[in-house]
Amino acid sequence: MNELALGFSWGFIFIFFSREKTDDEMIHGLKFKALTRAVVIAFFITHLYNYLFLNWRFKRGHDLILSISAYQFLALTLIIATGIFYYLKYQATLNEGE
């Protein structure tokens, strides 16, 4: 599963951080806004997944705490950031047309 997450991470790094046709300050601001929102959202999704599915029968002192890998967190963050960025970019083009 880590190999898949590693592939997704590299792919979405190239997609998210690639240059846009119009690479101006607005695009950089939208990418930063999308990335900051995605980190917070991915953190909460990861925390809930770890708590609800991986550690729901955790006994303190007896078990190890399980968690998803950093590659899986990075892949989730970049997938969310890419989606948010293109949504914000779409909204910005709609607002410019009015």
Side-chain angles (χ1 to χ4, degrees), residues 35-52:
L35 195 57
T36 54
R37 288 180 182 179
V39 167
V40 172
I41 293 168
F43 175 77
F44 282 113
I45 291 172
T46 301
H47 181 71
L48 285 174
Y49 180 80
N50 288 339
Y51 181 74
L52 295 175

Side-chain angles (χ1 to χ4, degrees), residues 25-77:
E25 291 177 6
M26 183 190 80
I27 295 296
H28 289 279
L30 292 177
K31 282 189 177 186
F32 183 73
K33 187 184 290 188
L35 195 57
T36 54
R37 288 180 182 179
V39 167
V40 172
I41 293 168
F43 175 77
F44 282 113
I45 291 172
T46 301
H47 181 71
L48 285 174
Y49 180 80
N50 288 339
Y51 181 74
L52 295 175
F53 297 108
L54 296 180
N55 297 308
W56 64 279
R57 292 176 18 153
F58 177 75
K59 292 185 176 72
R60 191 174 298 267
H62 297 290
D63 295 333
L64 293 174
I65 296 175
L66 301 173
S67 180
I68 68 169
S69 73
Y71 287 124
Q72 292 168 337
F73 176 77
L74 181 62
L76 177 64
T77 302

